[in-house]
Amino acid sequence: MSFKLHRISAPLFALLFTVGAVAAHSQGCILARSPEQAGLPTEQGGYLQPGHWQVTIGERHQFSYQHYVGDVYQEYRAQQGTQVENRINLATLGITYQVTPRVSVSMDIPELWASRKSQSSPIEYQATGVGDMIVTVNSWIRNPSKATRWNASVGLGAYLPTGNDDVKNTTSSTNATTGVTTTTTAPVDYSIQPGTGGWGGVLNWSAYTTLHQNLTLYTDGNYIAMNGGTDGVQRSTSTTTPLNDFNSIADQYLLEAGLAFPISKAPGLTATVGPRWEGVPAYNLFPVSNDGFRRPGYAVTLGPGLEYTRSGNILSAGVYKAVRRDRTVSYPDSVYGTHGDAAFAQYVWLASYTRRF
């Protein structure tokens, strides 16, 4: 028998699938694309039953243009017209199969459409393609048939380098004095590459508790621990800062929490509100090597969402506004006594459609 959350449907985050596996997706120049979590019970379906499937198509959009060094906004970049603008659209197909009442297997397959340009240049760099996949095995801690007020799940999985981390663009520029046109082919910035070039391990977690008949507290997150080192894609040939010549294979993380409550006058409709914290650490959990160029940092966003559930169909949408952004010091920064910047988004837009059968 499926369990009903006292007419409280699953929180928004449980139904969205982002970054993608390379995941997530990102806070502009900060490459954080952790996938959203799946697994909390929904109002009309309860826990996913053994032998049943859940398929989700999720979309994440963001426009990153505000530069930060640490947590200080670099307003002069806008005044000088030197802002770097990243546009990210990340669609993810999430497939879950329920093996037993507690155990499920999930796969996340992302597709990235991204562009990057500087306000001071007419050149726009673009990248599209399948991203890095994630496969996980998840298990509820408590027996679903006995979990009437709270439950939690833990998942372990693998991060697979299925995406291209070496997408190249060819650009042309003409010397105003000589009239000579020069053509250059080079990899685009790693923030818009579909892949990371590395393997990793994934730890997922999620939990909920019913605070009241019409109020549920939820939380979830994941940490993607990468193999470290560099991906072999050369971004520069500097002799003074050689640690930044190649792209780093960096860890990433996501943590979410919030409240979910039904809209009494609209059956099947649930509102959610809560924060999201996602980013890239300066040092990997398993430091084979922290060499390579990375833009570590994090963004904390806060926003509302809506979810509508009917007959095994679930529609979700949410808008999250940044309340804190911080570009932290990378390992090469600490070696060279520098502190690079990164462009962050003001808003993150999330939407998804889920079908259970």
Side-chain angles (χ1 to χ4, degrees), residues 161-184:
T162 53
N164 186 359
D165 64 333
D166 194 16
V167 172
K168 295 181 174 68
N169 281 187
T170 298
T171 59
S172 298
S173 60
T174 302
N175 188 293
T177 302
T178 64
V180 176
T181 299
T182 303
T183 300
T184 304

Side-chain angles (χ1 to χ4, degrees), residues 28-83:
C29 294
I30 304 295
L31 183 57
R33 303 177 187 171
S34 295
E36 307 305 317
Q37 301 304 296
L40 295 190
T42 57
E43 178 193 350
Q44 293 193 14
Y47 287 94
L48 192 62
Q49 297 300 301
H52 286 210
W53 296 82
Q54 177 171 287
V55 177
T56 296
I57 299 175
E59 162 68 12
R60 173 174 180 150
H61 170 77
Q62 64 190 68
F63 172 49
S64 305
Y65 63 96
Q66 295 186 330
H67 287 254
Y68 281 78
V69 173
D71 61 355
V72 179
Y73 174 46
Q74 306 298 294
E75 188 175 4
Y76 77 92
R77 295 290 297 268
Q79 296 169 346
Q80 294 178 352
T82 60
Q83 293 181 138

